[in-house]
Amino acid sequence: MEYSVQLTFREQWRDERLQFDDMDGRMAYLTLTDPNKIWKPDLFFSNEKEGHFHDIIMPNVLLRIYPNGEVLYSIRISLVLACPMDLKYYPLDKQTCSIIMASYGYTTDDLVFLWKVGDPVQVTKNLHLPRFTLEKFNTEYCTSKTNTGEYSCIRVDLIFKREFSYYLIQIYIPCCMLVIVSWVSFWLDQNAIPARVSLGVTTLLTMATQTSGINASLPPVSYTKAIDVWTGVCLTFVFGALLEFALVNYASRSHMQKQAVKQQRKWDIEHSSLDNDHVEGGAAAFAMKPLVHRCGDINSDKAHRCEVHMKPPKSINPCKAWLNKFPSRSKRIDVMSRILFPLMFALFNLVYWTTYLLRQEDI
């Protein structure tokens, strides 16, 4: 919430008491080495946190007096200025930082600051900032009224746009890679429990560490930033991949239990049928059933005829038919996760970038 600036500050005014003879144009101006000998406006920087003048090798001060009494005062200053920032769209944000200059003791009845007509602010051509781009600047007036009177004030607003390429390489791409790596567990065998658990826990811890590192370099704010939305959703996807394995493991164990119950029932039925065969074999010696029936015993005219009625085939849902190819429910969960997780992440990216990039165009 602050920025440092090194500037050459110039102000010009007219003091009729300092008029002198220019000797028919031979005297263009006078240069004073001690600026404390004349009156100067009591200007101060109202949003200054700290600052200092430059005195190496000599004090960087210029004071010229022209024959008509005009005074040019120029001095080199380094300042640390407060800059309240709105970080809702960080790192896709633009910030407006101001340099506010006002009169401390003289009211508007005595002193009024005016911007120079034509090119009042000059920015060096070789200005390069590591993480920002100076898009433009505006000059404004900010005269304030207090209990002691009305004081003249001028302001220059600097509009900075944050360079996004650094954050794309350092934050967004690594987060995407971590989310994609967490999807590798969907392609591993469901019985490879150590591999899937270690992969899910490692990606989750890495994502949490990166999120904490991002927040450590920012001031704590009460609202949600754009980077918080990104890291939070990525962390949710990684955590969801870990929960998906827990669901797959539960479905696999329940399937194995059902298979064990079926095997037990089959074994019981087989043993019970073998016992019935032994009982019938023992009774066969005492009661023999006739093996041949006479033809007259069955009346062919009264014999019942069987008719087969086939139901029309039902229309099968192709998705359901495709899922039925996989034998167990746990395998179906893995297959569905391979499709649903990338689709949901792609949808989130579409909504995220559309929302914040289009929002930036309106600022």
Side-chain angles (χ1 to χ4, degrees):
M1 299 290 182
E2 65 182 22
Y3 72 107
S4 58
V5 58
Q6 185 180 108
L7 57 90
T8 301
F9 176 74
R10 302 187 186 97
E11 54 184 348
Q12 190 171 1
W13 67 94
R14 185 174 181 179
D15 191 343
E16 296 178 353
R17 299 172 297 177
L18 300 178
Q19 293 180 357
F20 63 91
D21 186 10
D22 62 350
M23 299 180 181
D24 298 329
R26 289 181 295 174
M27 182 72 68
Y29 55 82
L30 295 176
T31 302
L32 294 186
T33 57
D34 188 1
N36 295 323
K37 296 297 183 180
I38 65 170
W39 176 90
K40 297 186 295 295
D42 60 342
L43 180 141
F44 76 105
F45 297 90
S46 62
N47 59 335
E48 172 205 353
K49 286 190 173 182
E50 60 180 83
H52 66 274
F53 301 115
H54 293 264
D55 297 328
I56 300 175
I57 298 177
M58 293 291 291
N60 300 159
V61 180
L62 172 66
L63 184 61
R64 289 178 181 175
I65 302 177
Y66 294 90
N68 61 351
E70 286 190 358
V71 180
L72 173 64
Y73 179 66
S74 176
I75 187 170
R76 187 161 164 254
I77 311 172
S78 290
L79 299 169
V80 177
L81 303 171
C83 179
M85 297 182 182
D86 185 5
L87 300 174
K88 289 181 180 178
Y89 303 103
Y90 174 88
L92 300 165
D93 57 336
K94 292 182 181 179
Q95 301 296 338
T96 301
C97 297
S98 301
I99 303 175
I100 305 174
M101 297 158 281
S103 173
Y104 189 80
Y106 293 104
T107 63
T108 53
D109 296 333
D110 302 320
L111 176 65
V112 175
F113 291 120
L114 299 174
W115 284 110
K116 181 182 177 181
V117 178
D119 199 15
V121 179
Q122 301 171 359
V123 180
T124 179
K125 295 181 179 180
N126 59 350
L127 177 65
H128 296 288
L129 302 176
R131 295 189 184 182
F132 287 92
T133 300
L134 180 60
E135 284 195 334
K136 60 181 180 178
F137 54 86
N138 301 317
T139 55
E140 302 288 345
Y141 291 94
C142 53
T143 302
S144 60
K145 183 179 292 186
T146 65
N147 293 333
T148 57
E150 186 176 4
Y151 298 91
S152 180
C153 172
I154 56 176
R155 182 182 77 238
V156 54
D157 295 329
L158 306 172
I159 291 89
F160 295 100
K161 182 180 180 181
R162 199 181 300 271
E163 288 290 343
F164 181 67
S165 57
Y166 168 81
Y167 300 94
L168 179 65
I169 296 173
Q170 296 293 327
I171 296 176
Y172 284 88
I173 292 179
C175 288
C176 283
M177 294 173 65
L178 285 174
V179 173
I180 294 173
V181 166
S182 67
W183 298 342
V184 175
S185 63
F186 304 153
W187 300 86
L188 297 179
D189 186 72
Q190 58 189 10
N191 295 323
I193 298 177
R196 297 187 69 163
V197 170
S198 60
L199 181 64
V201 172
T202 302
T203 52
L204 184 63
L205 292 178
T206 306
M207 193 69 217
T209 303
Q210 188 168 9
T211 303
S212 62
I214 295 170
N215 293 328
S217 61
L218 292 175
V221 292
S222 59
Y223 48 83
T224 302
K225 304 180 289 294
I227 194 69
D228 294 335
V229 176
W230 174 265
T231 54
V233 173
C234 290
L235 188 63
T236 303
F237 270 95
V238 175
F239 184 66
L242 186 60
L243 289 183
E244 187 271 348
F245 170 66
L247 182 60
V248 167
N249 196 346
Y250 173 77
S252 177
R253 285 187 289 107
S254 63
H255 178 71
M256 293 175 62
Q257 291 176 359
K258 289 180 180 180
Q259 291 294 331
V261 171
K262 288 182 180 180
Q263 291 292 336
Q264 182 66 30
R265 289 179 180 176
K266 185 177 179 181
W267 186 84
D268 293 340
I269 292 172
E270 290 178 354
H271 278 265
S272 63
S273 62
L274 289 175
D275 294 340
N276 292 334
D277 290 342
H278 284 295
V279 173
E280 291 177 359
F286 301 97
M288 295 293 293
K289 296 182 179 179
L291 299 178
V292 180
H293 293 278
R294 296 179 181 179
C295 295
D297 293 342
I298 302 176
N299 190 354
S300 61
D301 296 334
K302 297 181 179 180
H304 297 283
R305 295 181 181 180
C306 296
E307 295 182 0
V308 179
H309 298 276
M310 300 294 292
K311 294 183 178 180
K314 297 181 179 180
S315 59
I316 302 175
N317 189 357
C319 295
K320 188 175 182 181
W322 177 69
L323 287 175
N324 289 334
K325 295 180 181 179
F326 303 101
S328 61
R329 187 174 61 179
S330 58
K331 187 66 176 177
R332 295 172 189 171
I333 295 174
D334 268 343
V335 172
M336 292 178 64
S337 298
R338 296 172 190 174
I339 301 174
L340 290 179
F341 272 74
L343 284 179
M344 293 172 61
F345 192 66
L347 180 61
F348 161 70
N349 274 271
L350 178 63
V351 174
Y352 181 87
W353 296 113
T354 302
T355 301
Y356 285 103
L357 291 181
L358 293 182
R359 178 67 179 177
Q360 281 301 109
E361 296 297 329
D362 298 338
I363 295 178

